[in-house]
Amino acid sequence: MGTSEAVLHVLSGAVPQFLSSDMCSSNSDLVFYSKCHIKSVKKKGSRRLPSLKCSSMSGCQIGSYRCKRLGGGLHGNTAIDRLTLLRCKCQQAESASGVDTGKGNGAWFVDNAKKLNLNGSMNSEDILEFKTVEQLKRENEVSMSNGKVGTGTNTIFTGGVDSVEDEAWELLRASMVYYCGSPVGTIAANDPTSSNVLNYDQVFIRDFIPSGIAFLLKGEYDIVRNFILHTLQLQSWEKTMDCHSPGQGLMPASFKVRTVPLDGDDSATEEVLDPDFGEAAIGRVAPVDSGLWWIILLRAYGKCSDDLSVQERVDVQTGIKMILRLCLADGFDMFPTLLVTDGSCMIDRRMGIHGHPLEIQALFYSALLCAREMLTPGDGSADLIRALNNRLVALSFHIREYYWIDMRKLNEIYRYKTEEYSYDAVNKFNIYPDQISPWLVEWMPNKGGYLIGNLQPAHMDFRFFSLGNLWAVVSGLATIDQSHAILDLIEAKWADLVAEMPFKICYPALEGQEWQIITGCDPKNTPWSYHNAGSWPTLLWQLTVACMKMNRPELAAKAVSVAEKRISKDKWPEYYDTKKARFIGKQSRLFQTWSIAGFLVAKLLLADPNAAKILTTEEDTELVNAFSCMISANPRRKRGPKRSKQTYIV
């Protein structure tokens, strides 16, 4: 769609027909029907949980779905109206995949490093065939007993490798989860010192992203492809909590491979995928970011492997559309940002981020750009792409204009007038200048700035949230000047944000009465711990991607060097405590998978900065400039009833 058409559509106030209130019941969409291979596994009480199943005794077919045809959506075969997603002949794997690990180069930025193979390809078929595979034996065998199918080993890593990077690869592969003999993800943590597993033995969508990127950059595409397709199947299942079902398109927070008795034969067992959409999570919060990360990983897979057949599949195209429709649905909100509850993203506990948190907006913007790039043209996509373009323009303008803060903007807020009732008000959100905290006045550097954590009527959350700012750089949500300013601030405030271990999840911590009120006296989110300004090594990979995009690799190399000094000795913790990250987190899991994977991705990107392009998106300058010019000429839309295009004969 042309730029001028998109802008005119934004300013005209037109609303796409597909976003009407009955959008979820539209029968023009592709609908998944399970024939016989979705099973209900009895849980405690009367609750029944659907699970994908696969017999370990004989060959079986998984996920056979009948679907209504979507105009032009079935790539390469319009005569097919039955799509077999996955077929597998199951056999328990004896050990983890035996892929050789290359020796690390022991450096963070090497000019003559070997370039990664990003031009691999895979077979493009609408039917993915999983065959029985003879697994190679390796040192770190996968434990298949005691009901823990496919999880990593339960022994502490004892060393015996040439570098920290080699150790990390060994640990990452030991965390791989197998389903029907094929890898489908990595568990959250493989900590042998913890007796309380909780849900750390599950495959989390957001946790797998750095693992998936690491495997892609290493040229190992199968595990990512399997992950994408299996989680897609889980998306279509009915989700219910207390008689209420969320909107279609919601992706699970996590899933677990379980071994259960085969129906009608207690002597045989089968593997099932058991998803959690938030109904078992602490706080019962649905994962808003799961679907957004899934779209981002799908694009990265296509760009890295050159296998576009996956994203062109009719079921994958439908999965993308279901996520977009869920995010683009009309509501009461006047803002283009997504309205979410507390705990719906990486910060999954009560931390005062309900409303319009920056992290969700940055991922939302990135997912919209990735989806626009991958959607195939067709009758069912026109309205969706039009609504997507409208939201991209409005969202980028809103974030850049109202979330940005630097010394100049801070001084402007300090002089705000309040209670302005006017279409031309300067203080549009009625922000009271007294909200500016003393810490911010002292902390803000003369050079640099950042995007605030949240914006609501009469409220600005001035905390620096790392993931949101870093991904705003990666996705192009922040302008080029703003992106450099964010990295300038990180460099200026290195002692606060990096210190002895990268990277602070947010800054500063909530303390005293503020901590009591906002967190509810959460004993895990005490000041300078966990989500309350703890230091998370996994954020190293987002920092590196942002630095590679802005051509500032020295900043990422410096952070990697800080992490490499102690992360292996500390046994790869989940997070660190205290202002300077001197202590391993008091409840931190060891051998946390995304800490391991985040380190590996950072190392791989430093060796080949061009590889970051599988994750980055460039600023859509033409669209943004056209919108900005028209907004400047006409700061508000004309009010009044919409004119009907229909003519009437009286």
Side-chain angles (χ1 to χ4, degrees):
M1 184 175 66
T3 298
S4 59
E5 182 184 351
V7 174
L8 289 174
H9 193 80
V10 173
L11 299 179
S12 68
V15 179
Q17 183 177 0
F18 86 94
L19 290 176
S20 59
S21 58
D22 61 344
M23 51 168 276
C24 289
S25 60
S26 173
N27 56 14
S28 64
D29 297 332
L30 180 66
V31 181
F32 293 110
Y33 290 98
S34 169
K35 183 178 179 182
C36 61
H37 299 292
I38 291 181
K39 170 189 173 181
S40 292
V41 180
K42 274 197 173 183
K43 298 294 181 183
K44 294 180 180 179
S46 60
R47 179 174 173 271
R48 299 176 69 86
L49 181 68
S51 300
L52 286 179
K53 70 177 185 177
C54 178
S55 170
S56 61
M57 301 298 293
S58 60
C60 70
Q61 178 174 307
I62 300 175
S64 177
Y65 296 103
R66 183 177 298 278
C67 48
K68 297 180 181 179
R69 282 188 49 203
L70 189 65
L74 186 55
H75 177 70
N77 191 350
T78 56
I80 298 177
D81 44 51
R82 184 180 192 82
L83 180 65
T84 304
L85 293 180
L86 297 173
R87 303 176 68 90
C88 76
K89 297 177 181 179
C90 301
Q91 184 179 59
Q92 288 186 344
E94 294 180 358
S95 63
S97 175
V99 182
D100 292 337
T101 57
K103 293 184 178 181
N105 53 29
W108 319 293
F109 187 66
V110 181
D111 293 335
N112 296 322
K114 292 182 179 179
K115 300 300 180 183
L116 301 174
N117 177 19
L118 299 180
N119 299 316
S121 60
M122 296 183 65
N123 293 330
S124 55
E125 301 176 359
D126 280 331
I127 298 177
L128 176 63
E129 189 85 9
F130 285 117
K131 296 183 178 181
T132 304
V133 179
E134 198 63 42
Q135 300 289 344
L136 298 178
K137 292 190 175 182
R138 306 174 66 249
E139 281 187 12
N140 293 308
E141 294 185 347
V142 177
S143 171
M144 307 296 290
S145 59
N146 298 325
K148 296 182 179 179
V149 178
T151 61
T153 64
N154 287 325
T155 59
I156 299 178
F157 189 84
T158 57
V161 291
D162 295 334
S163 71
V164 175
E165 195 171 355
D166 287 338
E167 177 190 345
W169 276 114
E170 291 285 346
L171 290 170
L172 181 60
R173 291 198 172 95
S175 71
M176 291 169 65
V177 174
Y178 288 79
Y179 176 59
C180 300
S182 298
V184 293
T186 52
I187 57 174
N190 196 15
D191 186 357
T193 66
S194 177
S195 58
N196 189 8
V197 176
L198 292 177
N199 57 356
Y200 281 83
D201 62 343
Q202 298 187 20
V203 180
F204 280 81
I205 274 68
R206 77 171 66 97
D207 289 40
F208 179 74
I209 301 304
S211 297
I213 299 301
F215 285 122
L216 288 178
L217 296 179
K218 200 71 170 175
E220 301 173 22
Y221 306 134
D222 287 352
I223 185 173
V224 181
R225 178 186 173 100
N226 298 343
F227 172 86
I228 289 170
L229 294 177
H230 278 295
T231 50
L232 175 66
Q233 293 180 42
L234 301 177
Q235 179 197 38
S236 64
W237 293 1
E238 182 179 352
K239 291 83 68 173
T240 303
M241 192 184 93
D242 296 336
C243 304
H244 175 72
S245 297
Q248 292 181 350
L250 180 67
M251 293 295 255
S254 63
F255 65 86
K256 181 178 175 63
V257 179
R258 298 186 187 277
T259 300
V260 298
L262 189 64
D263 287 339
D265 187 356
D266 293 337
S267 63
T269 61
E270 60 184 353
E271 294 178 1
V272 297
L273 290 182
D274 187 358
D276 175 20
F277 292 91
E279 67 267 47
I282 298 172
R284 302 298 189 268
V285 179
V288 177
D289 62 339
S290 287
L292 306 178
W293 277 123
W294 183 86
I295 291 177
I296 293 168
L297 182 64
L298 174 64
R299 173 182 177 264
Y301 170 81
K303 292 183 77 68
C304 195
S305 67
D306 286 335
D307 176 19
L308 302 183
S309 65
V310 173
Q311 66 189 46
E312 291 171 351
R313 288 170 51 139
V314 63
D315 54 327
V316 175
Q317 286 285 310
T318 301
I320 296 173
K321 292 174 184 178
M322 290 174 68
I323 295 171
L324 293 179
R325 287 173 179 164
L326 183 61
C327 294
L328 295 172
D330 289 331
F332 292 103
D333 208 342
M334 291 292 291
F335 308 145
T337 43
L338 275 182
L339 179 65
V340 300
T341 62
D342 225 335
S344 57
C345 52
M346 179 180 177
I347 298 179
D348 57 4
R349 298 169 76 91
R350 182 176 163 189
M351 270 292 292
I353 66 168
H354 57 280
H356 308 88
L358 177 64
E359 176 180 334
I360 289 294
Q361 314 317 321
L363 293 174
F364 181 34
Y365 184 82
S366 181
L368 290 178
L369 287 176
C370 293
R372 185 175 67 173
E373 186 178 315
M374 294 186 293
L375 281 174
T376 56
D379 295 338
S381 301
D383 286 342
L384 189 59
I385 293 175
R386 187 177 301 113
L388 186 154
N389 281 323
N390 294 345
R391 183 62 73 90
L392 277 172
V393 174
L395 180 61
S396 62
F397 179 84
H398 184 84
I399 297 294
R400 295 171 180 183
E401 183 72 14
Y402 304 125
Y403 275 61
W404 180 253
I405 188 171
D406 54 16
M407 187 59 77
R408 183 196 62 80
K409 184 68 175 181
L410 192 60
N411 201 170
E412 182 182 322
I413 296 172
Y414 181 73
R415 293 170 55 81
Y416 267 170
K417 294 180 181 179
T418 59
E419 316 301 334
E420 293 180 286
Y421 183 79
S422 168
Y423 292 112
D424 302 320
V426 174
N427 187 3
K428 293 182 176 63
F429 302 97
N430 199 35
I431 303 299
Y432 299 107
D434 288 344
Q435 288 186 26
I436 300 176
S437 301
W439 73 264
L440 181 60
V441 178
E442 300 298 327
W443 194 71
M444 180 66 73
N446 291 324
K447 180 183 178 182
Y450 65 97
L451 297 167
I452 62 172
N454 212 326
L455 176 64
Q456 300 184 69
H459 173 66
M460 296 181 81
D461 187 344
F462 289 108
R463 286 177 291 174
F464 176 88
F465 286 87
S466 300
L467 178 53
N469 274 277
L470 293 173
W471 210 257
V473 175
V474 172
S475 65
L477 178 58
T479 66
I480 294 175
D481 290 340
Q482 288 174 345
S483 296
H484 278 296
I486 290 170
L487 296 182
D488 288 340
L489 179 134
I490 291 173
E491 192 168 19
K493 296 299 174 181
W494 191 266
D496 294 326
L497 300 177
V498 177
E500 298 189 24
M501 178 59 66
F503 198 86
K504 284 292 180 194
I505 192 171
C506 65
Y507 185 91
L510 300 173
E511 299 182 280
Q513 189 177 31
E514 189 178 31
W515 167 77
Q516 294 176 345
I517 295 172
I518 293 179
T519 72
C521 300
D522 187 349
K524 195 168 185 178
N525 272 333
T526 53
W528 309 106
S529 178
Y530 202 50
H531 295 142
N532 191 10
S535 296
W536 292 68
T538 187
L539 292 172
L540 193 60
W541 78 271
Q542 285 104 335
L543 172 65
T544 305
V545 177
C547 291
M548 294 302 106
K549 180 183 179 182
M550 303 312 297
N551 196 26
R552 297 174 68 168
E554 70 286 346
L555 197 62
K558 183 180 176 182
V560 171
S561 68
V562 172
E564 198 163 22
K565 290 177 182 177
R566 60 181 294 202
I567 192 168
S568 174
K569 297 176 183 178
D570 292 341
K571 300 178 182 177
W572 307 91
E574 180 183 11
Y575 64 94
Y576 287 79
D577 285 355
T578 74
K579 284 186 178 182
K580 302 299 182 183
R582 302 190 69 182
F583 292 167
I584 296 173
K586 56 187 174 184
Q587 296 188 43
S588 175
R589 299 293 170 127
L590 302 180
F591 301 103
Q592 184 79 13
T593 303
W594 69 353
S595 296
I596 298 166
F599 173 81
L600 287 172
V601 172
K603 296 278 285 187
L604 290 166
L605 291 177
L606 285 169
D608 183 8
N610 288 330
K613 292 180 180 179
I614 69 172
L615 293 163
T616 60
T617 47
E618 299 302 324
E619 182 182 14
D620 196 339
T621 53
E622 185 180 357
L623 201 60
V624 172
N625 289 339
F627 179 81
S628 299
C629 291
M630 299 187 77
I631 285 293
S632 300
N634 183 16
R636 67 179 181 87
R637 295 181 184 177
K638 293 181 180 180
R639 303 179 72 238
K642 294 181 181 178
R643 294 182 180 180
S644 174
K645 294 182 180 180
Q646 185 176 358
T647 57
Y648 298 90
I649 299 177
V650 180

